[in-house]
Amino acid sequence: MRRTTPLAIAAAALLLAACGSQSDGTGGRGGNDKVSPSSSPTPSASPTASPGGTGCVTHLELTASDTGRTVCLTKGGELRLTLDGTRARPWKPVEASGPALKAINAGFVIQPGDATAAYQASTSGTTELTSSRPLCATPTAPGQVSCKGLQEWTVTVRVR
């Protein structure tokens, strides 16, 4: 074993340990230093609880992994979603069926194949959001395998 190997391992361990730490910006003087693991999973839905205690939230961010969920928004709440696709397997634009949500500006779609949408909870009721994309890329040359399957995405939104 070379002499530099233990030193390199120690340096790597220190770097990894520092990746999970966060500070309140007071240099430790405020007593509010927090440490969070760097590998903690980020939930795909980022709810902000409503003050009314209805179990509904005022803000949601959804992704493709939220398919099949039923979520609840308070009136006036906002829902944003991003479905990450590819050029070969693009998501169709998100469709909303039901009266509870009003479409608002979702911003720009930067990546080809992605679908984004944003809604405001305008009235009490239920709306279903849906989209789909091909399971397989479209063949680009003779003899390549193709399929007609679709990956479906559905979320039910209740507004109270």
Side-chain angles (χ1 to χ4, degrees):
M1 184 182 268
R2 295 173 24 194
R3 277 188 143 154
T4 57
T5 304
L7 182 59
I9 292 172
L14 287 173
L15 283 172
L16 289 174
C19 287
S21 65
Q22 296 178 344
S23 174
D24 65 354
T26 63
R29 295 182 305 273
N32 290 331
D33 283 352
K34 297 177 183 173
V35 176
S36 62
S38 59
S39 62
S40 63
T42 302
S44 59
S46 308
T48 304
S50 69
T54 62
C56 298
V57 296
T58 58
H59 182 80
L60 276 174
E61 293 185 23
L62 302 175
T63 66
S65 64
D66 292 306
T67 189
R69 288 187 60 199
T70 297
V71 297
C72 185
L73 277 176
T74 58
K75 270 191 203 177
E78 191 173 289
L79 179 146
R80 293 188 172 273
L81 66 94
T82 302
L83 302 175
D84 292 326
T86 63
R87 283 184 197 266
R89 295 182 55 223
W91 286 101
K92 290 190 175 185
V94 176
E95 294 182 13
S97 61
L101 298 176
K102 177 180 82 173
I104 59 175
N105 186 352
F108 294 102
V109 176
I110 303 298
Q111 297 293 327
D114 288 0
T116 62
Y119 300 92
Q120 184 172 32
S122 58
T123 186
S124 295
T126 301
T127 295
E128 187 173 86
L129 302 174
T130 59
S131 184
S132 64
R133 71 177 182 164
L135 278 175
C136 308
T138 304
T140 57
Q144 289 184 331
V145 176
S146 68
C147 70
K148 301 290 182 191
L150 290 176
Q151 177 182 357
E152 304 252 341
W153 183 87
T154 303
V155 169
T156 301
V157 182
R158 291 195 176 111
V159 176
R160 292 187 184 158

